[in-house]
Amino acid sequence: MRIETLSVFPELFEPYMSTSIMGRARAKGIFEFESYDLRDWTHDRHRTVDDAPFGGGAGMLMKVEPLHEAITDISKRGDVSPRVVFFTPCGEPFTQETAERLSQCERILFVCGRYEGMDERAYDLADERLSIGDYVLTGGELPALVVSDAIIRLLPGALGNDMGSVDESFSTADDGGLLEYEQYTRPADFMGKKVPEVLLSGDHAKVDAWRRANALERTCRWRPDLIEHARLTDVERARAAELIEQYHGANAKGADSDVA
C-alpha cells in the first residue's frame, strides 16, 4: 500500500510515520508514504493557497486552483491512481469498518484542509469524504494520521502478530462487535485490587467464556449503542437488555432485547 498526503504543513507527518509500529512497518516495506506540499503547485511569489470568501465572512478559504492542479498531477504519478479522501464535517463518520475497507486500497491520497475550509469546487475531486468526529480541529493533518494509523495496523505483518488487530474493540473481524474485554498483567494483586481468579486458572475455556461475558458487560455499560448491531446469541441479547436497564434505565438505546 502507498499512502500520500497533500498539506500546507507536510513536515507534520514524517515524525509519526517514522516511529514505533508505523516506522517498523514502513521500514519493512509494508507500506510506502509520501507527503506533498500544496504550495508547490502555486504560481505567485507568495505561494498563496488561500483567499477571502465571496460574500464576506471570517477567515480564509483554500483556493481551488492549487488543489486541483496538485491532485491532478499527483494522481498521474505511478501505475495506479489514488483513492482521493477529503476530511470535512459533511463526511461519512470514520469507523473500523471504513478502516478495513480502505486497507484494501493500493494507493490513497489524503487531502488536508486548513483555515476556514475549502472552496466547495475542490470537493469535486474527492472519491470520498470522511469525518473523524463532531468537533473542530485546525487542520486535516491529525485526521489523516488517525485514519492512516487505523489502516496501516490492519496490513499483514504491520503488528508482527496478525491476530493483534482482530481481537479488539470495534473490529468487524471478531466474534461480536463488542468492546474489548478487560485485560491485566503482573502483579496479580496491586494495592488490594486483584486480577480475576479465572484469568489465573489456566483453563482456556473458562477464560474465553469470562472474556466474552466481560466484553458484553463493558459494552452495555460504556457503549450501549453498539449492542443493536452486535452479533449476539439470544441468551446474550437478553442479558444485554438486563445490563443496559441496570446501567442506563429501561428506555436506554439498545435495551430492547427483541432488536435484531
Side-chain angles (χ1 to χ4, degrees):
M1 165 176 277
R2 180 175 175 82
I3 294 177
E4 297 161 299
T5 59
L6 179 62
S7 167
V8 293
F9 297 107
E11 67 276 9
L12 293 178
F13 297 96
E14 191 60 37
Y16 192 82
M17 288 297 192
S18 301
T19 303
S20 188
I21 290 173
M22 302 298 110
R24 291 194 295 271
R26 187 178 177 189
K28 290 191 291 186
I30 291 173
F31 76 98
E32 299 176 354
F33 175 76
E34 186 166 358
S35 183
Y36 301 99
D37 188 341
L38 178 62
R39 297 186 191 278
D40 290 342
W41 284 271
T42 58
H43 303 285
D44 65 300
R45 66 189 183 95
H46 297 295
R47 306 181 78 197
T48 305
V49 296
D50 62 317
D51 206 340
F54 284 122
M60 304 289 278
L61 291 178
M62 296 185 73
K63 294 163 59 68
V64 66
E65 297 100 328
L67 286 165
H68 185 279
E69 187 173 334
I71 294 170
T72 301
D73 184 21
I74 294 169
S75 296
K76 292 178 180 178
R77 304 180 184 185
D79 298 328
V80 178
S81 296
R83 183 160 189 80
V84 180
V85 178
F86 281 60
F87 296 100
T88 166
C90 301
E92 169 194 343
F94 180 66
T95 65
Q96 186 66 22
E97 184 177 0
T98 310
E100 291 170 5
R101 173 173 57 78
L102 291 176
S103 72
Q104 303 303 311
C105 295
E106 186 171 340
R107 185 183 176 200
I108 302 175
L109 173 62
F110 294 115
V111 181
C112 305
R114 276 273 165 175
Y115 315 114
E116 288 298 310
M118 297 183 183
D119 186 305
E120 187 65 25
R121 293 165 291 185
Y123 291 106
D124 292 341
L125 299 165
D127 291 313
E128 66 180 286
R129 310 179 190 194
L130 293 178
S131 169
I132 66 165
D134 297 337
Y135 45 83
V136 180
L137 298 173
T138 56
E141 290 80 13
L142 285 175
L145 283 171
V146 167
V147 175
S148 295
D149 186 300
I151 291 171
I152 292 167
R153 65 193 312 282
L154 294 172
L155 301 179
L159 296 181
N161 175 3
D162 287 344
M163 291 303 293
S165 64
V166 174
D167 192 17
E168 295 180 318
S169 300
F170 309 118
S171 174
T172 59
D174 70 7
D175 63 351
L178 303 173
L179 294 180
E180 193 173 9
Y181 47 80
E182 296 173 357
Q183 298 191 71
Y184 301 87
T185 187
R186 294 178 179 84
D189 187 333
F190 175 69
M191 299 178 68
K193 298 179 180 179
K194 298 181 179 180
V195 173
E197 286 293 332
V198 65
L199 299 181
L200 309 176
S201 69
D203 188 322
H204 296 299
K206 289 183 178 179
V207 168
D208 289 343
W210 179 89
R211 285 176 169 172
R212 177 67 177 180
N214 183 257
L216 180 64
E217 188 273 336
R218 282 165 56 83
T219 305
C220 291
R221 182 175 185 179
W222 301 114
R223 288 293 306 275
D225 56 297
L226 298 177
I227 291 297
E228 181 177 353
H229 299 292
R231 294 182 294 280
L232 305 176
T233 66
D234 291 342
V235 172
E236 287 175 329
R237 195 161 292 281
R239 175 58 177 159
E242 294 174 357
L243 288 167
I244 291 173
E245 182 173 358
Q246 173 186 330
Y247 287 123
H248 307 285
N251 295 323
K253 183 177 180 182
D256 186 353
S257 62
D258 293 329
V259 175

